């Protein structure tokens, strides 16, 4: 085969490979240029970010005013207010789940992008070498073969040499083009994921604002019903300092504190709702105006949703690291996560307690109590009846329970404990195995 034939055959493939490698070099150069953006561009970017933040703040203020008017009207109807609270809280937790899933998908994509970029950057010299060789192969015209025998011999030798080099060059160029294609695909996927993440966060902010307004309206109604609420709260904190254990705290609240005693008496008076054929009446959970548990706590095994989105890090009955065993479960959460009630019940304590941080205790009737601790802020009052799925608290940015802090947990942790007649019990049988089995108000 002559050099002319070889070059003619190679030109189309060389041109295609050359285009891919040129694109790889251009992309790397662009990335470097972006990383070395001049200060003027950075200042302009910060100004745009500030302007966007101001616009978002203004939009939030307008939305807050609009919500205030809507919710004031809703607040006149307790049933409708409860329904809105539960629906928005469920939506907030759903968006929290979507955000967590998107962040989990982005982590390996970001890692892979860095790996591909690093690989291409480390082969910048190779890209230049391949590119130069392909350019020469594409542009060189074949020499005349009928001038002298020496020219013909030289042409044949050149063709033989080029034929030996091109396969290796093709392999190297193909690898570069493949890496470039993967990088482009990764960037598109990452951009789409980040767009969805931004949209989810915007929806979360809006729904959290609405939820905060609804909670404020609910507590306003509660405060109006209980004129001495502040005095009750102060007395609850005083009483909590006089006891050493959770059981003593429950007993003290339900005996000595008016609101808690009333709630406990109501729980005992109402008793446990009867279940037809031993099965709970789940339809009763759809009544947002109820003032007592829709189903009995004992009959609700396998139906409760965890009060917060997250992953379980400690289980009931396992060693607690200080010579005892865990009396409840611990769930690691996102900062600021929404906490909802797993069941219907009356609030018999709401406030700080020793090493538990902020503590919420519900009397669920039938001798059952649910304890939830580790939140940053609780949004319900002592004596209040709360429904399954109702928002009652929010998490902070770090753990608030002393035993979790001692274990150097890097994220907020919620502690949940079930008690029957004063004794901690395994909450495991009550949690739903999957989303479809969970009950909500």
């Amino acid at each position: 085969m002559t050099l002319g034939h070889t070059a003619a055959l190679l030109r189309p493939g060389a041109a295609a490979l050359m285009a891919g490698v040129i694109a790889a070099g251009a992309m790397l150069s662009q990335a470097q240029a972006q990383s070395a953006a001049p200060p003027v561009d950075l200042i302009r970017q910060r100004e745009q970010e500030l302007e966007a933040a101001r616009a978002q703040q203004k939009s939030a203020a307008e939305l807050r005013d609009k919500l205030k008017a809507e919710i004031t009207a809703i607040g006149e109807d307790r049933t409708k207010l409860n329904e809105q609270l539960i629906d928005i809280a469920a939506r907030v937790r759903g968006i929290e789940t979507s955000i967590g899933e998107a962040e989990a998908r982005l982590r390996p994509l970001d890692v892979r992008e860095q790996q591909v970029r690093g690989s291409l950057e480390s082969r910048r010299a190779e890209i230049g070498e391949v590119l130069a060789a392909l350019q020469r192969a594409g542009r060189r015209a074949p020499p005349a073969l009928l001038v002298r025998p020496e020219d013909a011999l030289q042409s044949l030798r050149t063709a033989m040499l080029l034929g030996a080099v091109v396969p290796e060059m093709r392999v190297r160029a193909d690898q570069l083009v493949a890496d470039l294609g993967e990088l482009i695909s990764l960037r598109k996927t990452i951009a789409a994921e980040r767009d969805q993440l931004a949209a989810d966060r915007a929806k979360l902010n809006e729904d959290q604002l609405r939820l905060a307004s609804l909670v404020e309206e609910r507590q306003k109604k509660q405060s109006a019903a209980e004129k001495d609420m502040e005095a009750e709260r102060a007395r609850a904190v005083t009483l909590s300092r006089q006891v050493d254990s959770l059981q003593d705290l429950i007993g003290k609240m339900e005996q000595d504190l008016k609101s808690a005693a009333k709630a406990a008496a109501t729980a005992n008076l109402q008793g446990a709702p009867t279940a037809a054929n031993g099965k709970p009446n789940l339809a009763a959970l759809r009544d947002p105006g109820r003032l007592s548990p829709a189903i009995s706590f004992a009959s609700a095994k396998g139906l409760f949703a965890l009060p917060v989105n997250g992953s379980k890090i400690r289980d009931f009955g396992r060693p607690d690291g200080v010579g005892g065993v865990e009396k409840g479960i611990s769930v690691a959460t996102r900062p600021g996560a929404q906490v909802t009630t797993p069941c219907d019940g009356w609030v018999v304590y709401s406030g700080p307690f020793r090493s538990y941080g902020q503590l919420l205790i519900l009397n669920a009737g039938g001798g059952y109590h649910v304890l939830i601790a580790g939140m940053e802020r609780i949004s319900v009052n002592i004596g209040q009846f709360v429904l399954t799925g109702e928002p009652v608290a929010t998490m902070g940015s770090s753990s608030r329970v002393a035993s979790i802090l001692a274990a150097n947990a890097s994220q907020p942790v919620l502690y949940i404990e079930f008690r029957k007649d004063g004794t901690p019990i395994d909450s495991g049988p009550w949690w739903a195995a999957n989303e479809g089995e969970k009950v909500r108000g």
Side-chain angles (χ1 to χ4, degrees), residues 280 296-304 368 429-432:
S296 69
F297 194 93
S299 68
K301 290 182 178 179
L303 296 177
F304 290 166
Y368 289 93
W430 273 266
W431 305 120

Side-chain angles (χ1 to χ4, degrees), residues 51-73:
E51 195 62 35
R54 285 172 179 161
Q56 189 176 12
Q57 190 176 26
K58 182 181 177 182
S59 176
E62 290 172 354
L63 179 62
R64 194 179 296 112
D65 292 341
K66 181 183 175 184
L67 287 175
K68 192 172 181 180
E70 287 179 11
I71 290 166
T72 300

Side-chain angles (χ1 to χ4, degrees), residues 82-159:
N82 286 344
E83 188 174 25
Q84 288 269 314
L85 275 165
I86 293 168
D87 286 346
I88 298 296
R91 203 157 75 195
V92 165
R93 289 191 58 179
I95 296 172
E96 287 176 350
T97 299
S98 297
I99 290 174
E101 290 170 350
E103 289 174 342
R105 289 193 299 269
L106 274 169
R107 279 192 287 273
L109 289 173
D110 285 336
V111 170
R112 182 56 186 158
E113 183 194 13
Q114 291 303 316
Q115 289 173 343
V116 175
R117 282 169 57 86
S119 174
L120 285 169
E121 186 63 40
S122 68
R123 287 181 290 163
R124 175 169 283 278
E126 182 183 354
I127 291 173
E129 181 187 336
V130 172
L131 181 59
L134 291 174
Q135 283 176 327
R136 288 195 299 271
R139 291 175 181 172
R140 182 180 299 161
L145 297 182
L146 300 177
V147 179
R148 291 185 306 164
E150 290 81 359
D151 290 337
L153 180 60
Q154 182 61 38
S155 297
L156 287 173
R157 285 174 176 169
T158 303

Side-chain angles (χ1 to χ4, degrees), residues 9-346:
L9 289 172
L10 290 175
R11 271 194 206 105
L17 293 177
M18 184 169 62
V21 179
I22 288 171
M27 177 167 284
L28 289 175
S29 298
Q30 183 183 8
Q32 283 186 330
Q34 288 174 347
S35 65
V40 175
D41 289 347
L42 290 175
I43 292 170
R44 189 177 296 114
Q45 182 183 346
R46 295 293 179 268
E47 287 174 348
Q48 289 172 349
E49 289 173 356
L50 182 60
E51 195 62 35
R54 285 172 179 161
Q56 189 176 12
Q57 190 176 26
K58 182 181 177 182
S59 176
E62 290 172 354
L63 179 62
R64 194 179 296 112
D65 292 341
K66 181 183 175 184
L67 287 175
K68 192 172 181 180
E70 287 179 11
I71 290 166
T72 300
I74 292 172
E76 300 302 321
D77 184 342
R78 179 183 175 276
T79 298
K80 195 170 182 181
L81 180 62
N82 286 344
E83 188 174 25
Q84 288 269 314
L85 275 165
I86 293 168
D87 286 346
I88 298 296
R91 203 157 75 195
V92 165
R93 289 191 58 179
I95 296 172
E96 287 176 350
T97 299
S98 297
I99 290 174
E101 290 170 350
E103 289 174 342
R105 289 193 299 269
L106 274 169
R107 279 192 287 273
L109 289 173
D110 285 336
V111 170
R112 182 56 186 158
E113 183 194 13
Q114 291 303 316
Q115 289 173 343
V116 175
R117 282 169 57 86
S119 174
L120 285 169
E121 186 63 40
S122 68
R123 287 181 290 163
R124 175 169 283 278
E126 182 183 354
I127 291 173
E129 181 187 336
V130 172
L131 181 59
L134 291 174
Q135 283 176 327
R136 288 195 299 271
R139 291 175 181 172
R140 182 180 299 161
L145 297 182
L146 300 177
V147 179
R148 291 185 306 164
E150 290 81 359
D151 290 337
L153 180 60
Q154 182 61 38
S155 297
L156 287 173
R157 285 174 176 169
T158 303
M160 291 171 63
L161 179 62
L162 190 59
V165 170
V166 164
E168 180 189 351
M169 195 70 71
R170 174 177 287 278
V171 170
R172 293 163 68 185
D174 282 346
Q175 183 60 53
L176 290 171
V177 171
D179 286 351
L180 172 65
E182 183 182 0
L183 182 59
I184 293 170
S185 176
L186 280 169
R187 284 191 164 184
K188 286 180 179 177
T189 304
I190 289 170
E193 289 284 1
R194 292 201 190 285
D195 287 346
Q196 184 58 52
L197 193 58
D200 284 343
R201 282 178 173 151
K203 284 193 292 185
L204 180 63
N205 289 338
E206 187 174 328
D207 282 343
Q208 283 177 329
L209 180 60
R210 185 175 185 84
L211 187 60
S213 300
L214 286 164
V215 167
E216 184 182 354
E217 185 66 23
R218 177 190 64 187
Q219 295 316 108
K220 193 189 298 179
K221 300 297 177 188
Q222 182 73 13
S223 298
E226 295 284 347
K227 298 296 183 184
D228 53 356
M229 194 68 72
E230 285 302 322
E232 285 276 88
R233 268 196 289 264
R235 178 155 169 72
V237 172
T238 301
L239 290 173
S240 72
R241 291 172 181 154
Q242 299 172 4
V243 297
D244 296 319
S245 68
L246 284 170
Q247 188 53 36
D248 290 343
L249 176 64
I250 294 171
K252 196 78 171 170
M253 292 298 109
E254 295 187 342
Q255 288 174 16
D256 296 2
L257 196 66
K258 186 177 72 173
S259 295
K262 182 180 177 182
T266 306
N268 292 331
L269 183 65
Q270 295 285 351
T274 57
N277 301 322
K279 295 182 178 180
N281 177 19
L282 298 183
L285 283 164
R286 291 195 287 270
D287 174 19
R290 62 187 183 276
L291 293 170
S292 62
I295 57 178
S296 69
F297 194 93
S299 68
K301 290 182 178 179
L303 296 177
F304 290 166
L306 285 171
V308 71
N309 294 332
S311 54
K312 198 185 298 183
I313 59 171
R314 293 188 176 186
D315 246 321
F316 177 86
R318 298 288 178 87
D320 61 5
V322 289
V325 296
E326 295 288 348
K327 296 177 181 177
I329 65 171
S330 297
V331 178
T333 80
R334 294 174 59 83
Q338 182 65 56
V339 181
T340 57
T341 50
C343 62
D344 293 354
W346 290 267

